[in-house]
Amino acid sequence: MSLSSNLKAIENKIKDLGGFIETVSDNTVIVEITKDNLKEFAKWLYENNAFLKTCAGVDEREINSRFTLYHIFGLDEMGIDVVVKVSGSDKDYTPTISDIVPAAEWCELEARDMVGIRISGHEDKPKFILPQDWPENVYPLRKDFSYDYRPQSEFSKFDEELPKEVGLPIGPYHPILHEPEYFELYVEGEKVVDVFYRGFHVHRGIEKLAESPRFTYKTIPFLAERICGICGFVHSSCYVLTVEKAAKIEVPERAQFIRSIVLEIERIHSHLLWLGIAAHILGYDAGFMQLWRIREPVMVLAELLTGSRKTYGINIVGGVRRDIDESKKRKALEILRNVRDEFKKVVDVLVSVPEIVKRASGTGVLPKEDARKLSVVGPVARGSGLERDVRKNYPYFAYRYTSFKVPVYSEGDNLARTLVRIDEVFESISIVEQLLDALPKGPIAVESYEIPPFRKAVGAVEAPRGEDVHFIITGLGRPYRWRVRAPTYQNLPALKVMLRGAPLADAFLTIASIDPCFSCTDRAIVIHDIKSGSRKFVNLFYGRRYAGR
Amino acid sequence: MQVDKIAKLTKIVTIGLKTGRVTIKYPFGAPLVTESFRGAISIDNTKCWGCGACVLICPPNALSMKFEKDNIIIEYFKGRCIFCGMCADVCPANAISVTKEFELASTDLEDLKEYVIHRTSKCSICGKPIGPTSELRSVIKSQPVSEEYINLCSDCRKKLFAKAISIRFGAST
């Protein structure tokens, strides 16, 4: 089907339901619909193979004195983003769509906590993002909330949170990943029967900070880069991509190529890091050492091309700040050749080590249907048989000029996710080589640009961990609303499916297997009903801890 | 078959032996950074005008500007710096250069701060501060006849201009 016929189908459906199409641009369709028909439209989209990307609550009182909830769906097969807009006053209840699209639960709760949009179906759920001692009726992402306001803490409220029974706590730091997390695994003997996750320990309010007068369009890429320590360039790329889409800025081709090259180098280093850590978790330290040795030249290469080992800082709206000259290009190709040879040798050994293969195969299984329901992204989706890759589905930057395979494995276990990442390293090396060979001539940034206010855009970039989504409503001098959805946000709920019923000893590898990035996600709370052995998505949030209330 | 498998595992030993030691004796030996590395910045006091473009662009607010009675002070605090080099990109006087310095640890906070102090020029009529003297000097260099009115504040300049116009149209001096 062509784009226009898809649009026709969407238009017909939305007209049937009494809504209308607000704007159509590039590959984004923004539709507005009434609250009563939201569920039906969401169901229709979901049945037409749309994945829920995220939703964003926005305080639009300054524009049209309403509160708006944007549900962002992606029709992967057609490469269209459908943004469903529902608005109302702060007294109105918006129906939840999480009974139809389970992946919507987290972001709906986030909109409830941060913006104060009332969502029917979520009234009695505990605080999700905000700490338990946060005062009632104070919503940080509303425009009348000053970004430097610090409410008083009431420690007594934390006592209510304490569990009635004691499970096995993992956290506040993962023993190997060194990231803030908190899991409680409820076990019967050696078997995990239930999982509790409390996240958002390091919620930094970056979205709010970007709306403050401290930041402008020019400086936010540097803030976005600091959302994640491993895939920071993804966030700054996604931010500039979204702003450029909203303002319709034509970015020079050379800049697009350089961005893609650096993104792929970041993917290589991230996957090598993860593979090393996976080997370390399984007690194969020789592999860990060798993989990290191979990773070092990749870091040096990143520094050579951008000026920094991490947080490259070369993205600006309208282009990049560092060029790649001939000598750098030669050096890069040489380093990549070595990395490929060395990686091949080590990986050959790695996938034949019995302690790795036996412990990774058959553990942490995520079936395809659950992966679909939770709209998981990245290697987790591809390890469960879903062929989802933003680079293929929604081509951005210079990916349309390259040819590469998207590795897909259908087993859904830890080994499948490992193999996906191993294959991707080879693919990424080949992509960088192709791009370096075809690097076009020309400027690397536009001279000047204008960003008109109150334009909306959705941008997605494939991070090493999956699809990273940014949603922007432009404002004056800085975004009016900037919504960031890190890939781990989408993948964390899948852990519950992977962990339940599995032996405790596999839990650490399984948690690590989604390559979680808690700091960039930081939003959350999840459990599952202990009694339901089936994989039904009922009572997603009422786990053991809240069962007694 | 079994022998093959075991033989494959032992390859890691060959890889390790062939590679040898890769850790280096830091801080001795060759420099760790490549030619394009961005480190701390250095500000050339003699070139700086004190215009404050770097202060406006600095994402982490590592550069700040203070206004005192007779001086305008630009402070560079390395503790906040993210080494992005945006300030060097925007500096109109090319006073800021990016160095390769990254070993900045110190026990004294003052070691991490650098100051550029500019004298403030004052309006020759009302005495209000106008801006850094060096900035005014650089304006004179690029703009002819500007020395006629550069030592006046914007209010006094407007008044003089209005007076000149009114005289032209016949008002009494």
Side-chain angles (χ1 to χ4, degrees):
Chain A
M1 280 209 291
S2 65
L3 187 82
S4 55
S5 64
N6 290 321
L7 275 178
K8 204 86 204 151
I10 295 169
E11 202 176 342
N12 287 341
K13 184 71 192 168
I14 198 86
K15 268 190 187 143
D16 281 354
L17 294 171
F20 60 92
I21 292 189
E22 192 184 284
T23 52
V24 181
S25 58
D26 295 345
N27 58 350
T28 312
V29 185
I30 301 176
V31 300
E32 184 160 359
I33 198 163
T34 55
K35 283 194 264 314
D36 313 320
N37 290 329
L38 169 66
K39 258 191 181 175
E40 206 183 325
F41 190 61
K43 197 173 170 195
W44 180 79
L45 279 174
Y46 189 67
E47 280 163 1
N48 280 288
N49 286 329
F51 285 87
L52 183 85
K53 287 190 167 178
T54 190
C55 46
V58 187
D59 171 10
E60 288 191 349
R61 282 177 296 178
E62 285 166 27
I63 311 173
N64 51 19
S65 52
R66 294 172 94 86
F67 286 93
T68 313
L69 187 65
Y70 293 91
H71 286 283
I72 301 160
F73 286 90
L75 290 156
D76 276 12
E77 289 154 18
M78 308 158 199
I80 305 177
D81 288 320
V82 183
V83 182
V84 185
K85 181 178 167 186
V86 189
S87 56
S89 75
D90 60 342
K91 300 276 186 303
D92 294 342
Y93 277 90
T94 309
T96 173
I97 59 163
S98 59
D99 44 350
I100 300 158
V101 191
E105 192 132 22
W106 276 29
C107 56
E108 280 181 357
L109 284 176
E110 190 180 346
R112 183 200 67 175
D113 271 15
M114 304 298 271
V115 192
I117 292 173
R118 295 184 185 197
I119 293 168
S120 54
H122 290 325
E123 294 92 341
D124 44 348
K125 284 178 186 164
K127 283 217 179 69
F128 179 65
I129 298 230
L130 299 171
Q132 302 307 310
D133 62 336
W134 190 267
E136 297 295 323
N137 298 325
V138 177
Y139 302 107
L141 279 183
R142 286 195 178 182
K143 297 287 166 191
D144 46 13
F145 182 94
S146 167
Y147 77 99
D148 50 0
Y149 173 69
R150 302 276 181 278
Q152 285 283 312
S153 171
E154 290 172 58
F155 289 109
S156 61
K157 288 215 173 162
F158 279 110
D159 291 343
E160 295 169 18
E161 257 276 294
L162 287 178
K164 295 193 173 64
E165 58 230 284
V166 177
L168 182 83
I170 302 179
Y173 284 89
H174 189 281
I176 292 150
L177 292 174
H178 308 297
E179 280 220 57
E181 55 161 25
Y182 182 76
F183 283 95
E184 251 173 52
L185 305 180
Y186 296 97
V187 287
E188 272 174 18
E190 280 290 292
K191 211 176 90 187
V192 177
V193 292
D194 207 354
V195 187
F196 170 81
Y197 171 64
R198 180 82 172 102
F200 305 94
H201 302 300
V202 282
H203 197 284
R204 293 154 291 176
I206 282 184
E207 290 171 7
K208 184 78 188 174
L209 189 59
E211 291 169 11
S212 73
R214 268 282 284 104
F215 282 89
T216 62
Y217 282 120
K218 277 190 179 151
T219 52
I220 290 175
F222 299 94
L223 178 70
E225 202 149 47
R226 277 153 185 81
I227 291 173
C228 182
I230 297 175
C231 52
F233 194 73
V234 169
H235 284 283
S236 73
S237 298
C238 200
Y239 165 80
V240 293
L241 174 72
T242 317
V243 171
E244 284 155 7
K245 255 179 155 180
K248 297 199 167 44
I249 299 167
E250 287 283 327
V251 182
E253 237 177 23
R254 194 176 173 90
Q256 310 257 30
F257 270 68
I258 292 173
R259 280 181 189 166
S260 296
I261 289 167
V262 178
L263 277 172
E264 289 312 308
I265 287 171
E266 194 170 63
R267 190 184 321 279
I268 298 168
H269 110 74
S270 174
H271 281 348
L272 286 172
L273 179 141
W274 183 85
L275 286 165
I277 282 184
H280 182 48
I281 291 172
L282 295 174
Y284 186 60
D285 272 2
F288 163 61
M289 300 280 183
Q290 294 300 331
L291 283 162
W292 278 48
R293 171 180 64 77
I294 298 169
R295 176 174 169 262
E296 184 55 29
V298 183
M299 304 298 283
V300 174
L301 173 60
E303 189 195 300
L304 182 75
L305 297 185
T306 66
S308 201
R309 280 170 69 92
K310 274 311 307 164
T311 51
Y312 308 133
I314 62 162
N315 257 336
I316 46 172
V317 176
V320 290
R321 297 172 53 212
R322 290 286 181 276
D323 205 353
I324 299 176
D325 59 17
E326 276 304 312
S327 76
K328 283 181 186 173
K329 194 168 134 182
R330 263 199 309 278
K331 241 180 193 164
L333 288 170
E334 191 193 318
I335 289 175
L336 286 171
R337 210 168 29 245
N338 285 338
V339 167
R340 195 209 309 266
D341 291 348
E342 301 239 18
F343 183 64
K344 208 174 162 74
K345 276 185 212 156
V346 173
V347 148
D348 244 18
V349 181
L350 190 79
V351 294
S352 62
V353 178
E355 62 193 278
I356 302 254
V357 178
K358 281 202 176 134
R359 285 201 52 197
S361 50
T363 57
V365 179
L366 179 71
K368 191 176 177 181
E369 63 206 76
D370 288 332
R372 162 80 182 101
K373 274 180 192 160
L374 291 168
S375 294
V376 294
V377 294
V380 182
R382 295 194 280 277
S384 292
L386 287 178
E387 206 179 330
R388 297 194 71 192
D389 192 318
V390 189
R391 292 174 294 173
K392 278 265 190 247
N393 299 333
Y394 309 86
Y396 54 94
F397 297 157
Y399 287 111
R400 59 178 72 84
Y401 306 114
T402 63
S403 73
F404 58 96
K405 280 203 305 280
V406 178
V408 178
Y409 289 80
S410 54
E411 291 85 357
D413 56 2
N414 289 334
L415 189 66
R417 292 190 275 278
T418 311
L419 292 176
V420 166
R421 290 190 175 104
I422 290 173
D423 290 0
E424 275 184 12
V425 172
F426 291 118
E427 290 300 322
S428 291
I429 293 174
S430 130
I431 293 174
V432 178
E433 285 173 348
Q434 289 174 39
L435 289 171
L436 279 173
D437 275 342
L439 198 62
K441 290 203 162 46
I444 53 167
V446 289
E447 298 263 303
S448 66
Y449 52 81
E450 241 176 80
I451 302 172
F454 307 125
R455 294 264 190 90
K456 295 169 194 123
V458 183
V461 168
E462 183 76 15
R465 289 157 186 73
E467 175 192 47
D468 178 34
V469 178
H470 285 212
F471 172 68
I472 280 181
I473 302 178
T474 57
L476 299 162
R478 59 191 62 78
Y480 184 77
R481 176 81 165 92
W482 174 41
R483 166 88 170 115
V484 180
R485 202 228 56 209
T488 308
Y489 193 87
Q490 229 39 11
N491 287 339
L492 264 177
L495 269 184
K496 180 175 64 265
V497 182
M498 297 178 194
L499 286 172
R500 252 183 328 119
L504 181 62
D506 293 333
F508 295 94
L509 178 66
T510 306
I511 292 174
S513 79
I514 67 161
D515 202 355
C517 198
F518 296 106
S519 301
C520 47
T521 303
D522 244 344
R523 305 141 210 263
I525 198 169
V526 178
I527 330 169
H528 212 294
D529 191 355
I530 177 176
K531 278 167 243 151
S532 70
S534 63
R535 286 187 309 271
K536 268 196 193 152
F537 278 85
V538 286
N539 296 338
L540 201 67
F541 282 77
Y542 296 93
R544 238 182 159 176
R545 175 177 283 199
Y546 297 101
R549 294 194 189 168
Chain B
M1 184 64 206
Q2 197 65 27
V3 179
D4 266 16
K5 261 190 178 171
I6 293 169
K8 204 166 194 186
L9 292 189
T10 50
K11 267 189 190 162
I12 198 88
V13 181
T14 346
I15 294 170
L17 284 174
K18 251 189 204 163
T19 321
R21 178 191 293 244
V22 289
T23 47
I24 48 169
K25 284 190 173 134
Y26 179 78
F28 310 105
L32 288 172
V33 295
T34 59
E35 78 231 29
S36 41
F37 179 76
R38 288 193 308 266
I41 58 159
S42 91
I43 308 174
D44 188 341
N45 285 9
T46 52
K47 283 187 188 167
C48 177
W49 302 345
C51 67
C54 51
V55 177
L56 282 178
I57 198 75
C58 183
N61 279 8
L63 287 156
S64 57
M65 212 168 188
K66 261 190 288 187
F67 297 91
E68 285 181 0
K69 200 171 159 246
D70 295 320
N71 295 321
I72 290 173
I73 302 171
I74 292 178
E75 185 193 296
Y76 169 47
F77 180 37
K78 289 175 189 164
R80 288 192 76 118
C81 184
I82 60 171
F83 308 149
C84 64
M86 282 296 266
C87 45
D89 288 3
V90 297
C91 183
N94 288 331
I96 300 178
S97 56
V98 178
T99 68
K100 292 203 183 347
E101 220 180 295
F102 65 97
E103 290 143 320
L104 303 165
S106 168
T107 49
D108 187 6
L109 193 66
E110 279 303 309
D111 288 352
L112 297 176
K113 288 181 178 169
E114 267 175 34
Y115 301 95
V116 181
I117 303 171
H118 288 283
R119 209 152 44 88
T120 314
S121 279
K122 288 184 176 138
C123 176
S124 58
I125 297 177
C126 66
K128 231 170 44 179
I130 318 170
T133 314
S134 40
E135 189 181 7
L136 301 186
R137 244 183 246 138
S138 65
V139 171
I140 293 172
K141 261 183 221 159
S142 57
Q143 300 289 326
V145 282
S146 59
E147 60 269 24
E148 298 283 325
Y149 52 84
I150 200 83
N151 55 351
L152 302 176
C153 72
S154 57
D155 286 345
C156 294
R157 218 182 295 163
K158 271 181 215 155
K159 271 182 209 158
L160 279 186
F161 185 68
K163 204 173 170 188
I165 294 271
S166 56
I167 289 168
R168 175 165 301 178
F169 286 98
S172 63
T173 52

